Amino acid sequence: MFERIALYCDQFTNTNYIPVLFVLGFYVTLAFNRWWGQYTSFPLPDNLMMVVSGNVHGTDERGRLLRRTLMRYANLSSVLILRSISTRVHRRFPTLDHIVEAGKNNSP
């Protein structure tokens, strides 16, 4: 079966047709660029955490709660985004009620 496929593809390697390697390379480049674009556009909470911890001042209870609340919202937004693209996260949080319940369990 492999030899028949190889012989069939060999028909398209002459100069009368678009080279198969060129088309394959074009497809791989498109697929990789799409994946890389999605990967780089996903907001990670780490950078936001650094900005929040550096700019929201206060060693008292109010400052601590404000920083914590901001990061909880950032984590919530990450979970909401990941639910739409990750089956593992969607299984862990199938509904918004599951997210709310997880947040209640982690509150002091």
Side-chain angles (χ1 to χ4, degrees):
M1 182 65 148
F2 175 76
E3 289 180 32
R4 289 192 344 213
I5 293 172
L7 290 173
Y8 176 76
C9 291
D10 189 45
Q11 296 173 6
F12 301 105
T13 58
N14 60 20
T15 59
N16 296 335
Y17 299 103
I18 298 174
V20 174
L21 292 177
F22 174 74
V23 174
L24 181 62
F26 183 70
Y27 173 75
V28 169
T29 301
L30 278 176
F32 179 78
N33 285 338
R34 180 183 168 120
W35 174 82
W36 187 251
Q38 290 176 349
Y39 178 76
T40 56
S41 67
F42 182 73
L44 296 175
D46 298 345
N47 294 334
L48 178 62
M49 180 185 66
M50 294 294 199
V51 171
V52 167
S53 66
N55 292 317
V56 178
H57 303 292
T59 57
D60 58 344
E61 187 69 15
R62 182 178 178 278
R64 187 185 72 79
L65 285 176
L66 183 59
R67 285 189 296 274
R68 188 171 135 213
T69 302
L70 288 171
M71 287 317 301
R72 285 175 62 108
Y73 281 127
N75 287 333
L76 173 64
S77 68
S78 294
V79 168
L80 291 175
I81 291 170
L82 284 172
R83 277 185 72 233
S84 63
I85 60 173
S86 171
T87 56
R88 277 186 115 166
V89 177
H90 193 28
R91 277 194 304 250
R92 170 67 177 89
F93 302 110
T95 65
L96 294 179
D97 293 331
H98 288 88
I99 296 172
V100 171
E101 189 62 35
K104 287 180 184 177
N105 292 339
N106 292 328
S107 294

